[in-house]
Amino acid sequence: MTRENHGNETTTCKKEMSLCSNCSRDWLTGLYSRVYLEQHLEKEVKQAVLHHGSLWVMMIDIDNFKEYNTELGHQGGDFALRTVSCVLKSGIRSNEIAARYGGDEFTLVFSREREGDALLFAERLRKRVNELVLEGKQMSISIGLAECPKVGKTVEEIIRAADGALLKAKRRGKNQVQLAR
């Protein structure tokens, strides 16, 4: 590769990265992208810490997702992702966001005054997904829930707490909600 070609590739790569960083929507699900989520969450976390507000982050994972891809092909897996996305979109308020975090993981950012209300909201979403049957397979999700600033005062801390609660839900048998403490 010549120095000139390397320069062109670098320029092209930078342009592609710039385009990607401007993408606010996930192409498959129509939910917000992870890039948008992280930018939005940065602002929301600062506001919650500054004003002692209550901001909730919900990490969601489709249980046994690999089976959808294996048994139904990637189109079946894509359909499962879009189906769960529709449930999430229909369950949130206009000032809340639902994003595809990556793979079969999603993130919701929302506000509720009381812990009980946040848990009830998460449980309602879990039950709605659990009512769905895709090609004879009952769908389910596991959810990790974390409150800012209670369990974290930075984006990294709140995501880590919600993800830890999600992993706990998976280890405890899936199809449940766990709260970060």
Side-chain angles (χ1 to χ4, degrees):
M1 172 185 311
T2 66
R3 182 178 285 262
E4 183 179 303
N5 288 344
H6 178 69
N8 289 340
E9 286 183 8
T10 302
T11 302
T12 302
C13 186
K14 285 180 181 177
K15 286 179 183 177
E16 288 174 359
M17 288 172 65
S18 175
L19 287 173
C20 182
S21 68
N22 292 329
C23 297
S24 63
R25 297 280 179 178
D26 175 69
W27 66 272
L28 179 64
T29 63
L31 297 178
Y32 285 108
S33 68
R34 183 172 175 170
V35 170
Y36 179 86
L37 167 73
E38 290 172 351
Q39 292 169 349
H40 177 80
L41 199 50
E42 192 70 44
K43 295 177 210 165
E44 292 294 322
V45 166
K46 284 179 184 174
Q47 289 287 12
V49 170
L50 183 66
H51 299 293
H52 307 289
S54 185
L55 178 71
W56 291 89
V57 172
M58 186 186 305
M59 295 293 287
I60 302 159
D61 186 76
I62 300 175
D63 295 329
N64 307 311
F65 179 72
K66 187 176 180 180
E67 292 177 13
Y68 292 102
N69 278 337
T70 302
E71 296 174 18
L72 306 174
H74 289 288
Q75 290 175 330
D78 289 352
F79 186 73
L81 290 169
R82 286 192 299 269
T83 301
V84 170
S85 297
C86 286
V87 171
L88 299 179
K89 279 190 273 191
S90 68
I92 61 173
R93 299 173 182 163
S94 61
N95 63 334
E96 300 168 340
I97 70 162
R100 184 171 178 201
Y101 195 73
D104 63 324
E105 287 190 337
F106 304 92
T107 305
L108 297 186
V109 180
F110 62 99
S111 60
R112 295 291 185 278
E113 291 300 317
R114 294 186 301 268
E115 181 179 289
D117 293 337
L119 284 166
L120 184 64
F121 173 53
E123 187 60 28
R124 217 177 284 133
L125 288 174
R126 187 199 63 77
K127 286 180 179 176
R128 285 187 57 205
V129 171
N130 200 231
E131 292 170 355
L132 300 172
V133 177
L134 180 60
E135 297 291 326
K137 290 182 61 68
Q138 184 174 14
M139 296 189 75
S140 67
I141 55 175
S142 295
I143 298 175
L145 194 56
E147 183 183 11
C148 175
K150 186 176 182 180
V151 298
K153 294 183 177 159
T154 67
V155 171
E156 294 79 18
E157 290 172 348
I158 196 75
I159 291 286
R160 190 177 318 115
D163 199 42
L166 171 61
L167 292 173
K168 190 176 179 182
K170 296 293 235 184
R171 283 194 304 266
R172 290 190 173 179
K174 303 177 183 175
N175 195 24
Q176 60 184 275
V177 176
Q178 287 291 323
L179 183 64
R181 299 265 179 213

